[in-house]
Amino acid sequence: DSGLATTAPPFWRLPDETSTRARAAEIVGLLRLASEPGVMDEADRLAEALLVRSALVRQTARRDDPASRIATARTMLESHFLEHHDLDAFCRSHGMSQAAFRRHWLSAVGMPPARYLASLRMREACRLLANTDMRIGAIARLLGFDDPLYFSRRFRSAHGMTARAYRRAHRSGTGR
């Protein structure tokens, strides 16, 4: 026995089974639409989020360590960046006041939580534009923008070009 493999089963309980079951049902629903452009990318993203979340559950962060709570909050935000987040509830769920959470977050991440969330969404927009045939309006809605024109303005502000120009540049491999 080299000790490289473990005999323990690779299963563990998740604290929120309802949420996990809902995510799994979403993935199964997407698999039924596998021939649609971009659907499998979305299924992959949801599956990855489930894996990240399950890994977080296995970690036991010390309750008195703000850095570990911020790391846990950051990982959770990264795996649920398409969802709406109530900052006050998010702070409470990580055992901090809004002021303490913002202070520790800014120290660890270097930007406010809302800006970080927006950057995650813009990064996903770039990935979807470069790798899928999804319409720009559909990408905007997927990322939580009710108004595709507002999405276009935010995208141009963040990347210095329109979403359509970004898609053309990154599909052809010419860069910006």
Side-chain angles (χ1 to χ4, degrees), residues 1-6:
D1 184 27
S2 65
L4 294 176
T6 178

Side-chain angles (χ1 to χ4, degrees), residues 110-132:
M111 68 177 72
R115 189 179 313 154
Y116 184 73
L117 183 60
S119 73
L120 292 173
R121 289 178 177 163
M122 283 296 139
R123 183 173 51 183
E124 179 69 0
C126 291
R127 188 188 71 75
L128 291 170
L129 287 166
N131 299 319
T132 73

Side-chain angles (χ1 to χ4, degrees), residues 71-119:
T72 300
R74 182 178 184 174
T75 304
M76 190 174 108
L77 192 62
E78 288 170 352
S79 64
H80 297 280
F81 67 92
L82 293 178
E83 297 172 13
H84 171 74
H85 296 280
D86 174 6
L87 183 60
D88 192 39
F90 196 75
C91 296
R92 278 195 314 272
S93 72
H94 289 88
M96 293 187 208
S97 68
Q98 274 195 26
F101 183 85
R102 284 180 187 272
R103 184 177 64 253
H104 291 296
W105 178 277
L106 194 56
S107 173
V109 180
M111 68 177 72
R115 189 179 313 154
Y116 184 73
L117 183 60
S119 73

Side-chain angles (χ1 to χ4, degrees), residues 142-154:
L142 177 70
L143 298 177
F145 292 89
D146 294 330
D147 181 2
L149 294 175
Y150 179 66
F151 166 76
S152 295
R153 285 193 301 273
R154 292 287 306 268

